Amino acid sequence: MNTSRPRGPGRPALTRTDGAPLRVLVVDDDPDLAEVLTGALRYEGWEVRTAGDGVSALAEARELLPDAIVLDVMLPDTDGFAVLGSLRAVRPDVCVLFLTARDAVEDRIAGITAGGDDYVTKPFSLEEVVARLRGLLRRAGMARQREDGPRLTVGDLVMDEEAREVTRGGELVELSPTEFELLRLLMRNPRRVLSKAQILDRVWSYDFGGQAHVVELYISYLRKKVDAGRPPMIHTVRGAGYVLKPAVR
């Protein structure tokens, strides 16, 4: 699998038709693959949950009511085709993208016949998965592009992704390109603790061979620009990582 991260910047953000984040369920028994997919989809600003088998997939689907499902064909307790049949009873209009290690024509036909909307053959690129999901969601009428440009808001911190501008309390915050990408990641995951390894993967790419001190350095840069003279928003969770959340006044 090509684990280069998708290029979120430069393409319009997709939301649900009501403006809320799209909801995606990733079903795969490989935890590493599920984590990589989850990171790529969250980078799009979507709400993502994971499941490692058919039983937990149905439980998560009942709670999340996903707009799309990324579904591995081979699962430890059943196959993806059987899971899909049950999922349709929970969420009839959900978009389904199958992941399969088999590229035979009969396997593709089986996936489509079972009710899948599209499929991706392993190994695949993250960009391909994201692009396929965006296409499925748009064609199904379950998503729309943000008409006013992609904007992220956490408390009084606002990021215009298209203009690449950041303000806090209405005051412009000047950021370098790397600082901008780091803050974008934090703002797309508000109240979620991100480890140094996760930040390295998302901001400096999966194949970056850098060290954790790079993250510490850029977090300190961000704090001087975002939190200086204001109630802090960027917090260190000892032994776990960093989290961005609205300031407590």
Side-chain angles (χ1 to χ4, degrees), residues 46 51 58 61 65 86 96 105 116 118 127 130 136 158 164 174 185 187 212 230 241 246 249:
W46 301 346
L58 290 173
L65 295 179
S86 300
V96 178
V105 173
D118 202 352
E127 292 178 353
V130 172
L136 288 176
V158 179
R164 297 186 71 82
E174 297 284 354
L185 176 64
M187 291 186 71
R230 306 179 179 97
R249 297 184 179 278

Side-chain angles (χ1 to χ4, degrees), residues 12-50:
L14 284 186
T15 68
R16 303 182 74 204
T17 54
D18 61 2
L22 286 160
R23 299 189 295 246
V24 183
L25 176 62
V26 175
V27 185
D28 198 294
D29 63 339
D30 182 338
D32 294 331
L33 177 57
E35 181 180 359
V36 169
L37 284 169
T38 297
L41 299 177
R42 282 182 175 151
Y43 194 75
E44 293 292 311
W46 301 346
E47 180 182 350
V48 186
R49 294 194 192 180
T50 62

Side-chain angles (χ1 to χ4, degrees), residues 43-117:
Y43 194 75
E44 293 292 311
W46 301 346
E47 180 182 350
V48 186
R49 294 194 192 180
T50 62
D53 55 48
V55 172
S56 57
L58 290 173
E60 289 288 352
R62 290 189 183 97
E63 184 175 339
L64 179 64
L65 295 179
D67 303 298
I69 298 175
V70 180
L71 180 58
D72 191 10
V73 170
M74 302 298 293
L75 295 171
D77 56 347
T78 183
D79 63 58
F81 303 144
V83 173
L84 177 55
S86 300
L87 286 172
R88 289 291 190 196
V90 176
R91 189 76 161 144
D93 55 351
V94 67
C95 297
V96 178
L97 176 65
F98 274 121
L99 302 180
T100 176
R102 302 176 298 189
D103 195 26
V105 173
E106 56 268 24
D107 292 322
R108 303 181 197 177
I109 294 174
I112 301 301
T113 301
D117 299 291

